[in-house]
Amino acid sequence: MAGARKARPVSRAALAGEADPRLVALSVSIQDDGALYAEDVRGSQAHVSMLARQGIVPKAVARRLVKALDRVRAEFAAGRIAFDPALEDVHTHVERRLGELTGKDAGYLHAGRSRNDQVGLDERLFIVGACGRTGAALARLQRALLGQARAHERTLLPGYTHLQRAQPVSLAHHLLAYVEMLGRDRARLAEVKARAAVSPLGSGALAGTTLRLDREAVAASLGLAGVTRNSLDAVSDRDSAIELLFAVALSAVHLSRLGEEIVLWTTREFGFMTLDDAFATGSSLMPQKKNPDVGELARGRAGRAIGDLVTLLSIVKNLPLSYNRDLQEDKRPLLSGPDALILTTDALAGAVETATYHADRMEAALGGGEALATDVAEYLVERGVPFRQAHEAVGAAAKLAARLGKPLAALTAAEWRALHPRFEKDVLRCFDARRSLRRRELPGAPGPKAVRGELRRWEKALRSGS
Ligand code: ARG
């Protein structure tokens, strides 16, 4: 480590003494929790400043420690802290470096604190930040989807159920479905953040401390809303981490569904969408290939995200109170999950923003009128026919059309009339998909007015950042 005064081993390291290298190799976590250095330093600065205000640590010492901690953070950021397996984790690395910088002053820092409540705080600070970053990335993808939705208010395509053409919708309505999902994801992250934002410091190893700490002041100085209410729970609770990984996993599942549609829609068979070259990949073998890796990776990443959540649930499930070392294993899933989601989200946003959607192919898929069969049944309902009877009549029409070898829309008024006496000539108007959509204006429906209302609502919400 650079510029070292005489290194003072922290007591834990001394306790570890001559640990067998095989135990050291198993125990070390700095390669994962090193990512928490900024949170660890922030927590330590808040803690030592409070210790000084409470008269537990001399004020001048606290000031020196806060300043030296700034330097430790900068050294971590610059990659200038050498990782030493014997020092185990980020907490010990920070404290050791502080010792090198400030000599025996560093020994004041850990009063009334344990690594157990310390790691709990670091993780909560990380979770609060991760919720914000992840939510912002999801909002960027919402904006990309919304931009295309606005451009395709009038583009019609079949909506699908069972991956079979079902009823017409606008592309705007289809894309807005993803905007909705991501909106729920962001609301969920905001709730996770609010629950995570309490400070466990003062819980000590498990049973608090005899020192007169000011827990609320530490929480407030870290921008947290309050303090945990039970020391045993506080040092062993990983609910916020689990909730974050659930929120991440569910978002990843939403992105995976979008990814799957990109894969389908860019096939020659569908032909609904072309990715910009910058968001597609070639094959190392087949020169004609343009591959939708962005969608495939979104699907694959979701598998990882689900695994991360299950990992963390499994780590916690059999733990007796309070802290157990098993909990150290939460670092890799917790610390890598949100960033993986952000990478996927940003790549998908770019892919959506730059993609070309093929309105002609989409509208061609509506040809034949099969997607309007329900409208014909509802035509009869509006004329007093019980729905089941209407359904049967249109079913018979579909069979007749198939037998005659023509699309449903090509049946003549006379043919319709023969199927049910309530059919009039105007039944043929049902086969106008735009007219069909104009008649679907209930809240949440794909009618053009309803969709325009949703576009406006989301544009306003995303401008104001909510
Ligand atoms: N690296 C540890 C973890 O993440 C910190 C807490 C260690 N506490 C202990 N008593 N060994 O869980």
Side-chain angles (χ1 to χ4, degrees):
M1 293 179 194
R5 282 193 212 170
K6 176 109 183 61
R8 291 179 55 85
V10 291
S11 55
R12 280 187 297 281
L15 239 187
E18 294 303 301
D20 188 285
R22 289 168 294 187
L23 176 60
V24 172
L26 175 65
S27 298
V28 60
S29 67
I30 184 65
Q31 70 286 356
D32 296 319
D33 64 20
L36 285 173
Y37 71 87
E39 287 81 3
D40 200 70
V41 163
R42 239 181 105 203
S44 288
Q45 288 176 324
H47 179 66
V48 79
S49 304
M50 176 277 293
L51 290 177
R53 286 195 303 274
Q54 298 296 100
I56 299 167
V57 163
K59 290 220 159 62
V61 170
R63 270 197 301 276
R64 274 200 293 282
L65 291 180
V66 168
K67 251 186 97 196
L69 281 164
D70 280 336
R71 178 157 166 200
V72 174
R73 175 174 35 219
E75 289 179 1
F76 259 101
R80 295 209 331 264
I81 300 285
F83 291 172
D84 173 1
L87 292 179
E88 275 185 19
D89 57 23
V90 66
H91 323 297
T92 323
H93 277 79
V94 169
E95 201 178 335
R96 160 66 79 95
R97 182 66 188 130
L98 190 65
E100 290 171 350
L101 293 172
T102 66
K104 78 169 181 12
D105 283 355
Y108 280 102
L109 171 65
H110 210 54
R113 193 177 67 168
S114 149
R115 277 189 297 170
N116 298 353
D117 55 355
Q118 187 178 356
V119 71
L121 175 70
D122 291 4
E123 290 191 351
R124 284 172 180 277
L125 292 175
F126 171 83
I127 291 164
V128 166
C131 286
R133 289 199 305 280
T134 310
L138 294 174
R140 290 195 287 277
L141 176 54
Q142 282 184 306
R143 285 191 196 97
L145 290 160
L146 204 55
Q148 290 286 12
R150 185 51 101 181
H152 288 284
E153 275 186 76
R154 294 184 52 78
T155 301
L156 303 193
L157 75 161
Y160 289 77
T161 61
H162 313 269
L163 199 52
Q164 307 289 325
R165 292 173 188 171
Q167 292 186 298
V169 294
S170 63
L171 180 53
H173 192 60
H174 186 100
L175 296 172
L176 280 169
Y178 287 103
V179 176
E180 282 294 318
M181 291 180 220
L182 301 178
R184 289 195 297 276
D185 291 341
R186 290 175 54 216
R188 196 171 294 113
L189 284 164
E191 288 162 18
V192 172
K193 177 174 169 175
R195 266 193 296 281
V198 291
S199 170
L201 280 197
S203 303
L206 76 162
T209 169
T210 59
L211 300 173
R212 289 191 40 253
L213 306 186
D214 186 346
R215 298 192 63 204
E216 278 78 12
V218 172
S221 71
L222 291 167
L224 301 176
V227 298
T228 55
R229 310 304 310 185
N230 181 295
S231 62
L232 294 171
D233 179 42
V235 296
S236 61
D237 169 25
R238 293 295 178 272
D239 287 9
S240 294
I242 291 167
E243 286 188 330
L244 173 62
L245 291 192
F246 172 71
V248 164
L250 186 48
S251 291
V253 164
H254 292 152
L255 301 189
S256 174
R257 296 181 68 184
L258 177 60
E260 166 65 5
E261 280 195 350
I262 291 176
V263 172
L264 271 178
W265 283 17
T266 55
T267 56
R268 183 77 76 84
E269 286 73 7
F270 264 84
F272 284 4
M273 184 180 186
T274 305
L275 289 172
D276 187 87
D277 284 352
F279 283 95
T281 44
S283 158
S284 57
L285 177 68
M286 297 166 283
Q288 86 286 10
K289 285 298 282 291
K290 180 165 170 179
N291 292 329
D293 297 30
V294 62
E296 299 164 82
L297 288 165
R299 283 190 319 215
R301 284 278 166 99
R304 257 172 68 186
I306 294 165
D308 285 346
L309 170 63
V310 174
T311 298
L312 200 43
L313 285 166
S314 313
I315 288 169
V316 175
K317 100 180 227 308
N318 282 352
L319 297 184
L321 285 173
S322 58
Y323 177 83
N324 297 270
R325 190 66 183 278
D326 316 41
L327 291 172
Q328 178 168 290
E329 296 295 317
D330 68 352
K331 299 298 176 308
R332 199 168 295 179
L334 173 62
L335 301 181
S336 67
D339 282 337
L341 182 71
I342 292 168
L343 292 179
T344 313
T345 309
D346 282 336
L348 280 174
V352 166
E353 240 159 50
T354 56
T356 309
Y357 291 91
H358 301 296
D360 52 335
R361 292 278 307 191
M362 293 182 175
E363 297 200 15
L366 276 174
E370 279 70 20
L372 292 156
T374 314
D375 289 52
V376 182
E378 288 176 359
Y379 168 99
L380 286 182
V381 169
E382 282 182 318
R383 284 155 184 79
V385 178
F387 178 74
R388 283 297 157 217
Q389 227 186 76
H391 188 276
E392 211 171 289
V394 183
K399 282 207 191 84
L400 174 65
R403 193 151 45 79
L404 299 176
K406 58 183 182 181
L408 194 64
L411 289 182
T412 63
E415 284 163 341
W416 282 109
R417 176 66 66 83
L419 288 161
H420 197 287
R422 304 309 287 268
F423 280 125
E424 311 269 347
K425 197 161 167 279
D426 64 352
V427 65
L428 300 180
R429 289 172 62 199
C430 290
F431 292 99
D432 177 346
R434 283 184 202 287
R435 175 176 174 274
S436 166
L437 277 186
R438 282 198 301 277
R439 303 182 68 219
R440 297 166 184 277
E441 292 288 11
L442 294 181
K449 283 205 190 88
V451 168
R452 196 159 318 127
E454 288 305 300
L455 285 170
R456 274 201 219 103
R457 186 173 70 80
W458 276 114
E459 280 164 358
K460 198 166 153 230
L462 285 163
R463 255 201 309 277
S464 71
S466 56

